[in-house]
Amino acid sequence: MLNINPIKFVSFNNIQNKYPQKQIGLKSDTFVRSSNNVSFKGCESANNNSFIKWAQETDFIKTQLPEILANPKYKLGSGFSHSAYMIPGNEAYILRTPNTKVQKDYNFKNADIKDTEDKDLNVNIGQEVASIEVPTDEGISIQIQVLKKQTGKPIGVPPSQAVYIEDTDILRDGEIPYEARERKEQYASTIHTVAQLPVETYEKLINDIRAAEKAGYCFDHLNSNNLLIDEEKGSINLIDMDKNKLPANLGNVLYALTNINYFSTFRSQYDSCPMGNEEISKAFEDTVKIIDKFIQAMKNKGEKFNRDECSYEFFNLINSIPFSFYCKAFDENQKWQVLEAKGVV
């Protein structure tokens, strides 16, 4: 059992991270893609695609899609480049649309739907299953994605690049400051939930990562919001995975699980919304628990960190205060020795 003694952070206030926390990432929503049933050109496998079958049967594009895009009540959320919409009468999928301002009307009569489902992928990562191309009267088309629906709330806080316009301190539309109390409370609440999950949940997450890897998908670790916690099911769900041939990097997954890039902001006493010592200590303890449980899950699954393939972000995690506490060492080589003794190197 992991024992953690109460900690005061006064002595840590002057400790600076070894590296800057610049990242690139997008605000994540739970996205699903929707489809039209007007045109099925190039969709030979439409009969095997459950969403397209449903869209045909319900005449979805003509009867529902225009209302969904026009009515704000169907919007689930927005990032700075995309928005997500629910689909009434279909709980298995959602729509993801670009935040493109169209000056003229959509031409739904000439919309085209394509089956884009990856038949090699046997795990739900919120992936695209269909694509709807809708032309407009101004001669351009928008691409609407139909994604498998995932359940849960995002872990932590998105990177600052998702909050502010690039290379400025100007907030993106609809955003609140990075250090806002609401964000700090979101961070603390979600990592506390993650910390309470059993080791088996972490093992399932590793299984899902590996299954997605076999189908050619890689997890985008720069945004912790790409992990969703379903408290009711006790699961951690994946979204917004990229299709590429990069091998899965479990160090990056742990980096995202801890949302460690936000830890220094959370415990800062120099912004407009400082947190109390008790809240800071609790977040610290929860972070250490997440590290401990994930490493135990890796050991149970026979997984290992590869020091030669570690990312810049994982080294940031290794050099963080919670990871140092977990290893009971501040020297980087000593930390690797600890991980090796635990059987994960």
Side-chain angles (χ1 to χ4, degrees):
M1 178 177 292
L2 179 67
N3 294 318
I4 301 176
N5 297 320
I7 295 174
K8 292 184 179 180
F9 281 84
V10 176
S11 61
F12 291 140
N13 283 339
N14 294 323
I15 296 177
Q16 302 295 322
N17 286 341
K18 186 176 180 181
Y19 304 104
Q21 290 189 8
K22 282 284 185 181
Q23 302 182 61
I24 297 174
L26 301 181
K27 183 176 181 179
S28 292
D29 301 300
T30 308
F31 291 135
V32 179
R33 195 172 183 179
S34 176
S35 69
N36 278 337
N37 57 4
V38 177
S39 172
F40 292 88
K41 295 174 288 185
C43 192
E44 296 84 356
S45 58
N47 291 335
N48 296 322
N49 186 305
S50 61
F51 178 82
I52 293 178
K53 287 179 64 177
W54 176 84
Q56 288 177 296
E57 293 167 358
T58 60
D59 199 16
F60 170 74
I61 291 177
K62 288 182 180 178
T63 62
Q64 292 190 58
L65 185 57
E67 171 68 9
I68 290 172
L69 297 181
N71 196 327
K73 75 176 184 179
Y74 296 114
K75 183 177 285 190
L76 295 170
S78 293
F80 64 81
S81 60
H82 292 85
S83 295
Y85 295 84
M86 64 179 290
I87 303 174
N90 193 323
E91 290 297 317
Y93 305 96
I94 63 171
L95 302 180
R96 185 181 191 233
T97 69
N99 293 336
T100 302
K101 293 183 179 179
V102 177
Q103 304 300 322
K104 297 186 179 181
D105 292 337
Y106 294 113
N107 186 348
F108 293 102
K109 291 182 179 179
N110 292 321
D112 183 35
I113 186 171
K114 294 182 179 179
D115 181 1
T116 58
E117 186 171 11
D118 189 338
K119 304 303 188 292
D120 295 327
L121 185 61
N122 59 8
V123 62
N124 184 0
I125 57 173
Q127 67 268 31
E128 178 179 304
V129 299
S131 174
I132 305 170
E133 182 175 353
V134 185
T136 70
D137 291 342
E138 56 187 353
I140 64 173
S141 297
I142 65 162
Q143 297 290 333
I144 301 175
Q145 295 174 297
V146 182
L147 310 178
K148 280 193 173 183
K149 187 175 183 179
Q150 280 284 38
T151 58
K153 57 185 178 182
I155 289 178
V157 174
S160 60
Q161 287 81 359
V163 177
Y164 298 98
I165 295 174
E166 188 175 3
D167 297 326
T168 75
D169 58 358
I170 301 172
L171 288 169
R172 297 183 186 276
D173 290 344
E175 295 290 353
I176 60 176
Y178 192 61
E179 70 279 4
R181 179 166 291 273
E182 294 92 329
R183 291 195 188 278
K184 291 185 176 183
E185 290 174 349
Q186 161 77 6
Y187 161 82
S189 172
T190 55
I191 66 165
H192 180 69
T193 301
V194 175
Q196 306 314 304
L197 295 171
V199 172
E200 290 77 15
T201 297
Y202 294 80
E203 293 176 358
K204 173 63 165 52
L205 175 62
I206 292 172
N207 288 343
D208 289 347
I209 290 284
R210 289 303 188 195
E213 177 189 33
K214 289 181 180 178
Y217 291 84
C218 182
F219 175 64
D220 176 10
H221 64 285
L222 296 179
N223 190 348
S224 293
N225 282 182
N226 289 333
L227 294 170
L228 306 180
I229 321 165
D230 187 329
E231 292 187 67
E232 183 177 344
K233 297 179 180 178
S235 63
I236 302 173
N237 298 324
L238 297 157
I239 60 171
D240 284 357
M241 295 190 76
D242 298 321
K243 183 78 171 182
N244 58 47
K245 297 299 182 182
L246 292 176
N249 188 319
L250 296 183
N252 289 347
V253 178
L254 180 55
Y255 169 86
L257 275 173
T258 59
N259 196 196
I260 198 65
N261 64 305
Y262 196 73
F263 180 69
S264 62
T265 298
F266 180 81
R267 68 181 183 86
S268 172
Q269 299 297 298
Y270 302 105
D271 59 37
S272 60
C273 303
M275 306 300 286
N277 284 338
E278 184 176 344
E279 295 166 305
I280 294 172
S281 292
K282 187 59 181 175
F284 179 90
E285 294 173 9
D286 287 333
T287 303
V288 176
K289 286 180 181 178
I290 293 169
I291 294 169
D292 179 64
K293 289 184 177 181
F294 188 81
I295 287 176
Q296 183 60 52
M298 286 183 60
K299 182 177 180 180
N300 294 348
K301 300 295 298 180
E303 298 279 1
K304 296 182 183 296
F305 296 119
N306 186 334
R307 188 172 184 176
D308 295 330
E309 297 179 357
C310 288
S311 67
Y312 165 80
E313 291 78 25
F314 184 55
F315 276 113
N316 280 348
L317 172 62
I318 288 176
N319 286 287
S320 70
I321 298 169
F323 205 94
S324 297
F325 181 87
Y326 171 76
C327 293
K328 295 180 173 58
F330 275 90
D331 179 78
E332 189 175 298
N333 288 326
Q334 290 179 349
K335 293 175 188 178
W336 283 104
Q337 291 172 9
V338 170
L339 294 177
E340 184 176 6
K342 290 181 178 293
V344 292
V345 174

